[in-house]
Amino acid sequence: MSNTDLVNPSKKVIPQHVAIIMDGNGRWANLQGKTRVLGHKAGVSSVRAIVSDSRELGIKALTLFAFSSENWQRPKAEVSVLMDLFMYVLTKEVKRLHKNDIRFKVIGDVSRFSSKLQQKIIASEKLTENNTGMVLSVAANYGGRWDIVQAAKQIASKVASKQMTLDDITEQSLSAHACLAEVPDLDLLIRTGGDCRISNFLLWQAAYAEFYFTDVLWPDFDSEQFNKALAVFEQRERRFGQTGEQITTVQSAV
Ligand code: IPE
Ligand code: IPE
Ligand code: MG
């Protein structure tokens, strides 16, 4: 726990910003003798549950990895189903997000998506832009290296046009040009599906996040599993480079 973590009404320490690598849909489907596509469809129910739990718990930002910049390398048919599913879920769910005061954002290079999907994304972001209950960011055609490069390009262009100087390039200004600049720092990064890697997700933003890896496959990740992850987070001592003693002293002083 750090002194920036939230304490919710039930006195639980909850992270302000949770990100999830939603992995294991294909294996979930294979285990049931179904096609991978059905695994992706089943994963949508987990998304619904975790979004709703996060909002109820008072988490301020939830970031979900839906499609990586490397996922274009999958078979064309699977990519196409994932795009259709994204469109379908947006059409069906955004009103519900809006009703629950959730702001919806997409992070990633959306320029590679169909114009219909891009329009849907813009409309969904616009509809929910004034909501303040929680920010739900969906990472689509996102890569952590792409994010750092796009931030660097924005900064380079500002330096070239003299809106910024070399000395203005700091960790803070790079963060401000990277994705998720408007939400609290990442506290907890969850990966389902049993692999212990980051797969080019929030490379910059995860600098001091707590990592939680679980073997549970994404379609099986429910409220109980989420609570388990949050309970583990609560037990972690976040030292941010300091000693354990320093942290204990600060906490007992507040
Ligand atoms: C995650 O599940 C969803 C996406 C990457 C779109 P996978 O499709 O990677 O499922 P596994 O890892 O093959 O089981
Ligand atoms: C990471 O999962 C991307 C998403 C969950 C969207 P992958 O299944 O693509 O990751 P790798 O290929 O196993 O590293
Ligand atoms: Mg996978």
Side-chain angles (χ1 to χ4, degrees):
M1 171 187 173
S2 81
N3 49 8
T4 55
D5 292 328
L6 293 171
V7 178
N8 81 354
S10 59
K11 295 273 179 292
K12 277 199 154 78
V13 177
I14 49 156
Q16 294 201 58
H17 182 181
V18 177
I20 309 182
I21 301 176
M22 309 183 292
D23 197 22
N25 293 349
R27 278 164 286 162
W28 181 90
N30 286 342
L31 281 172
Q32 320 223 353
K34 296 175 177 165
T35 60
R36 292 180 56 84
V37 168
L38 288 171
H40 297 312
K41 290 189 176 156
V44 177
S45 309
S46 301
V47 172
R48 222 177 269 125
I50 301 311
V51 169
S52 152
D53 288 355
S54 300
R55 174 74 184 94
E56 269 174 39
L57 285 162
I59 288 168
K60 295 316 266 173
L62 177 68
T63 304
L64 301 176
F65 204 8
F67 191 86
S68 76
S69 41
E70 289 75 31
N71 287 146
W72 294 107
Q73 298 170 57
R74 292 190 175 197
K76 264 204 171 89
E78 182 170 341
V79 171
S80 157
V81 165
L82 284 167
M83 294 300 141
D84 290 350
L85 194 59
F86 194 20
M87 186 76 189
Y88 172 77
V89 172
L90 276 185
T91 310
K92 239 181 121 231
E93 305 286 337
V94 168
K95 278 195 204 101
R96 194 203 311 247
L97 296 179
H98 189 43
K99 221 174 85 198
N100 288 310
D101 198 23
I102 297 171
R103 181 171 184 188
F104 173 81
K105 299 269 282 178
V106 169
I107 58 167
D109 181 6
V110 294
S111 68
R112 199 163 160 188
F113 294 144
S114 71
S115 60
K116 221 171 131 197
L117 185 51
Q118 289 186 47
Q119 280 164 24
K120 191 88 212 163
I121 290 170
I122 292 168
S124 308
E125 290 182 336
K126 184 104 193 83
L127 175 73
T128 61
E129 71 184 347
N130 295 318
N131 294 342
T132 55
M134 182 175 90
V135 182
L136 170 65
S137 306
V138 171
N141 194 18
Y142 178 88
R145 288 177 171 175
W146 164 84
D147 192 0
I148 295 167
V149 168
Q150 69 79 26
K153 276 187 178 164
Q154 285 187 58
I155 291 173
S157 130
K158 287 184 184 174
V159 171
S161 64
K162 302 210 171 359
Q163 287 178 70
M164 278 176 83
T165 67
L166 262 192
D167 288 338
D168 290 334
I169 306 176
T170 60
E171 292 183 11
Q172 284 71 23
S173 67
L174 200 137
S175 289
H177 290 84
C179 292
L180 302 175
E182 289 166 27
V183 300
D185 279 350
L186 183 59
D187 296 306
L188 173 63
L189 176 63
I190 297 172
R191 182 176 186 138
T192 63
D195 288 311
C196 299
R197 56 176 171 258
I198 194 165
S199 298
N200 196 18
F201 196 28
L202 304 167
L203 300 181
W204 175 268
Q205 297 84 346
Y208 261 109
E210 295 295 323
F211 285 61
Y212 178 85
F213 296 105
T214 171
D215 288 339
V216 174
L217 304 169
W218 178 249
D220 290 330
F221 194 82
D222 56 12
S223 301
E224 193 188 329
Q225 294 298 331
F226 192 36
N227 280 328
K228 218 166 134 183
L230 295 173
V232 168
F233 173 81
E234 199 174 10
Q235 296 309 315
R236 300 267 175 92
E237 183 181 67
R238 303 184 75 191
R239 292 188 286 277
F240 298 97
Q242 293 185 297
T243 65
E245 289 73 21
Q246 285 175 296
I247 299 299
T248 326
T249 318
V250 171
Q251 269 170 21
S252 50
V254 284

